[in-house]
Amino acid sequence: RLEESGGGLVQAGGSLRLACVGSGGTFRDYAIGWFRQAPGRLREFVAAIGRKGITTPYAASVEGRFTISRDNAKNTVYLQMNSLKAEDTAVYYCAANTYAPYSSVDQYRRWGQGTQVTVSS
């Protein structure tokens, strides 16, 4: 099971840190991805991290502003989001797979319920 937290309302230029906590399995055995979905749009890749902390290239839209990290002792993956923009507004989901930090939605079978991030301009 995956559970996201940390979303909320923030002004443009601000920061938020999302957390994805895993339970019910051996968290360190999973690669974790962060995705987001804005109203009327498809779910899109944001960032992903492998079992040993190696990351996949970030989505171009967040490169240099977002950072993904993990703490396996806490069964948690974080997404630090800085310099937020109105276009970052979306529901953010974390997802897990047992292979690699893929950037494709279709490669993930386990998903959290999502956390809303709203950036006001």
Side-chain angles (χ1 to χ4, degrees):
R1 178 183 174 186
L2 299 173
E3 184 171 359
E4 304 92 340
S5 64
L9 174 64
V10 63
Q11 289 187 333
S15 298
L16 284 173
R17 188 176 77 160
L18 305 184
C20 172
V21 179
S23 61
T26 306
F27 188 77
R28 65 179 180 271
D29 289 342
Y30 292 89
I32 302 294
W34 280 101
F35 296 80
R36 66 186 183 185
Q37 188 166 16
R41 302 190 66 176
L42 296 175
R43 193 168 298 188
E44 65 176 10
F45 170 76
V46 175
I49 189 165
R51 291 173 289 180
K52 296 184 178 181
I54 297 175
T55 62
T56 294
Y58 292 78
S61 57
V62 307
E63 175 70 45
R65 300 188 297 122
F66 290 12
T67 303
I68 189 171
S69 62
R70 68 187 300 158
D71 184 344
N72 286 337
K74 296 182 178 179
N75 288 353
T76 302
V77 168
Y78 301 99
L79 184 68
Q80 178 68 44
M81 307 187 296
N82 298 328
S83 302
L84 283 161
K85 305 175 181 180
E87 51 263 43
D88 294 318
T89 296
V91 178
Y92 284 71
Y93 300 89
C94 65
N97 78 72
T98 56
Y99 300 101
Y102 298 117
S103 59
S104 171
V105 170
D106 295 340
Q107 298 291 343
Y108 292 83
R109 293 292 179 264
R110 296 174 172 85
W111 291 83
Q113 293 302 304
T115 185
Q116 175 71 46
V117 171
T118 302
V119 184
S120 63
S121 58

